Amino acid sequence: MILTEKEIQILNQIELVGQDYDALGSYMLYHKNIFESALDYIPIQYLPNHTFGFSFRVVNNKFFMQVAYSNRNRKFFKNDIITFGFKNGEELEFKLLVGSIKDFHGRYSSTIIIKPEQVKLFLLEDLEFIQIVSKRNELGYINSQIQDTLSYYSIGESFYHKTVKYLISDLLKEYLKDYPGNDYSNILEHNFSDH
């Protein structure tokens, strides 16, 4: 794949961060500077200048997905349903067990425990859309295709998909150095060069 100057710049600024994040020395592993400076979520635009973001993180030895809105006033609520749809027709549906928490940047976010087979789907397949259904959010329903995001960042679709896969595999490699032999170990045995 031939990268544009903008895409090379995006890749070069991504940073994997491992840190003790509280007074008890709890360990966190995550990426920052994803698609733009200081952004630590993979963005999907759902309204002009408004994005939903998702990221994969390790807290201690647990693997999570964290989701957030760019709009600092928009919250997640318990029982909100977030669906990730892939080009092969498969869907992953998550019902939030908790509402919003504040992330490092003061955005409302929520966390999801994600199973190894669900992580593998993000690695093997291309994300096509996200849907969010909420009985308490003022929007009620969000349906976003990735095309608006590609236009906003001036990037190609293949680059977007490969970046998602790179972020997950990079995180897993570092995670498995610290926590080898767990349920996520076999995910990286696959060759993703053709995806």
Side-chain angles (χ1 to χ4, degrees):
M1 181 177 66
I2 299 175
L3 300 179
T4 66
E5 186 175 328
K6 177 68 177 295
E7 291 169 345
I8 292 171
Q9 179 185 353
I10 287 172
L11 281 181
N12 286 339
Q13 72 182 8
I14 294 173
E15 182 180 348
L16 180 63
V17 179
Q19 63 179 29
D20 294 338
Y21 73 102
D22 63 18
L24 299 177
S26 297
Y27 178 70
M28 175 174 274
L29 189 66
Y30 67 100
H31 286 95
K32 68 177 184 179
N33 304 329
I34 304 172
F35 289 98
E36 59 184 89
S37 179
L39 185 64
D40 47 8
Y41 297 95
I42 301 164
I44 300 181
Q45 192 171 7
Y46 63 89
L47 286 173
N49 300 318
H50 291 277
T51 58
F52 165 86
F54 65 100
S55 65
F56 299 90
R57 298 165 187 255
V58 174
V59 178
N60 293 333
N61 65 339
K62 299 290 191 298
F63 203 93
F64 291 92
M65 177 189 285
Q66 188 159 342
V67 293
Y69 290 115
S70 61
N71 184 335
R72 294 177 186 273
N73 296 317
R74 186 155 291 132
K75 296 181 180 181
F76 293 97
F77 296 95
K78 183 179 179 180
N79 296 323
D80 283 2
I81 297 174
I82 301 174
T83 302
F84 293 85
F86 298 86
K87 283 196 167 185
N88 70 343
E90 291 192 63
E91 295 183 358
L92 285 179
E93 181 180 287
F94 300 98
K95 179 181 281 190
L96 298 185
L97 301 178
V98 295
S100 293
I101 58 173
K102 286 285 187 80
D103 70 4
F104 298 139
H105 308 290
R107 298 185 187 94
Y108 287 111
S109 68
S110 192
T111 55
I112 298 166
I113 297 175
I114 185 165
K115 299 175 183 177
E117 60 270 22
Q118 295 169 326
V119 175
K120 185 188 289 188
L121 191 57
F122 280 94
L123 276 168
L124 294 176
E125 304 299 336
D126 293 338
L127 184 65
E128 189 169 39
F129 68 86
I130 58 102
Q131 292 178 351
I132 303 172
V133 178
S134 176
K135 294 181 178 178
R136 298 180 62 187
N137 189 306
E138 71 276 15
L139 289 179
Y141 177 76
I142 291 172
N143 184 6
S144 179
Q145 309 290 322
I146 69 164
Q147 293 303 321
D148 291 337
T149 307
L150 304 181
S151 299
Y152 180 81
Y153 286 102
S154 301
I155 58 174
E157 183 174 347
S158 178
F159 176 78
Y160 183 93
H161 296 314
K162 286 182 182 295
T163 301
V164 172
K165 293 168 172 54
Y166 163 75
L167 291 171
I168 300 170
S169 60
D170 189 46
L171 186 70
L172 279 170
K173 287 174 186 175
E174 192 66 28
Y175 169 54
L176 294 173
K177 288 179 187 176
D178 297 326
Y179 300 98
N182 60 46
D183 292 339
Y184 297 86
S185 298
N186 65 343
I187 296 176
L188 290 179
E189 293 175 2
H190 297 271
N191 184 347
F192 304 112
S193 60
D194 295 329
H195 296 277

